Amino acid sequence: MIVAENFGLELYNNSLFLFCGSRNDRFKTLYWDNEGFILLYKKENFQFLG
């Protein structure tokens, strides 16, 4: 997997990995819960007051 290969991190040790792409309003989270991976996706709606 990309996390293990590029970052040298262990995927199965109760870790949470957060990713964001070129658009900084979208986030993906990868988590192992001892039964399989959970992928969470969140899109933020930022509003600037001005």
Side-chain angles (χ1 to χ4, degrees):
M1 291 197 71
I2 294 171
V3 174
E5 293 173 3
N6 290 342
F7 300 107
L9 300 173
E10 180 61 39
L11 297 174
Y12 308 106
N13 67 354
N14 211 16
S15 297
L16 188 71
F17 299 96
L18 180 66
F19 303 92
C20 83
S22 59
R23 299 186 70 172
N24 293 335
D25 64 341
R26 293 175 173 94
F27 302 95
K28 293 178 185 168
T29 304
L30 183 64
Y31 177 72
W32 173 259
D33 71 347
N34 293 323
E35 293 183 16
F37 285 103
I38 297 173
L39 179 65
L40 304 169
Y41 179 82
K42 175 70 175 168
K43 180 181 176 189
E44 291 291 330
N45 294 322
F46 297 110
Q47 295 181 0
F48 295 99
L49 303 175

